[in-house]
Amino acid sequence: METKLTRGRRRGVLVVHVVASGSWVGVTLGLLALGIAAAGSGSAAGTEAAVRGMRVFADWLLLPVAFLTLASGLVLSLGTPWGLARHRWVYVKFWLTLATVTATALVLRPAVHAAVAGVTAEGALPDRGDVLMGPVVSLSAYVFMTVISVLKPWGPTRRGRRPRRRPA
């Protein structure tokens, strides 16, 4: 049995999904800008301010936006004919979103916290890669997901090629 969203609900969820996804990209761009500022700062105070700004983004914005993107994407895929496993681009986007949410929680946020702790203790950034690599990888994934959302490449999966039964 397939749950269908009404046109109005589908549009509402789509707006939430697009805004949340765009916000995720924006927060990540902010993290990257702050990471570049931290890595390139010539002063301890500038580096500390930048990594503390990164922590605010990571602690207060990143995970809520990431989870909202994941949840709204799931609702859209399960409540519309696109389905979760009917089209390869939707399937790839789901797994990549799940991977980036997990990496955000388990890698990116702890790296930002470690950078703040290191700057606070030593006065200098322990490893510039810690504040740059996460945002660069995340941003690359989000751009890729945006591209496949627009282009819808590849075609249906084996499940998507099977004829669907219509409710009687």
Side-chain angles (χ1 to χ4, degrees):
M1 187 164 116
E2 193 173 297
T3 304
K4 289 288 194 184
L5 293 172
T6 63
R7 181 180 170 139
R9 286 196 174 123
R10 180 187 56 81
R11 285 180 164 186
V13 175
L14 181 60
V15 167
V16 168
H17 184 66
V18 169
V19 169
S21 300
S23 298
W24 204 6
V25 171
V27 168
T28 303
L29 281 170
L31 280 171
L32 181 59
L34 288 167
I36 291 169
S41 178
S43 71
T47 301
E48 184 173 356
V51 295
R52 286 186 184 278
M54 288 181 78
R55 187 172 69 190
V56 170
F57 275 53
D59 287 349
W60 293 98
L61 298 172
L62 206 53
L63 283 179
V65 168
F67 282 121
L68 185 58
T69 301
L70 179 63
S72 60
L74 272 173
V75 170
L76 280 173
S77 67
L78 296 174
T80 64
W82 287 109
L84 184 59
R86 290 189 190 125
H87 298 273
R88 286 185 180 94
W89 72 271
V90 176
Y91 202 61
V92 167
K93 208 175 141 185
F94 167 73
W95 287 107
L96 196 51
T97 301
L98 194 60
T100 53
V101 169
T102 303
T104 295
L106 301 179
V107 179
L108 184 74
R109 286 185 70 229
V112 169
H113 286 210
V116 171
V119 167
T120 303
E122 300 168 20
L125 197 58
D127 183 5
R128 293 170 195 248
D130 282 350
V131 295
L132 294 174
M133 193 54 66
V136 166
V137 170
S138 296
L139 189 59
S140 300
Y142 308 150
V143 168
F144 176 73
M145 287 188 277
T146 301
V147 168
I148 66 173
S149 293
V150 172
L151 299 179
K152 298 172 180 46
W154 305 311
T157 61
R158 187 175 303 156
R159 177 183 173 166
R161 284 190 298 268
R162 279 189 261 149
R164 285 180 264 171
R165 294 188 316 168
R166 306 242 184 237

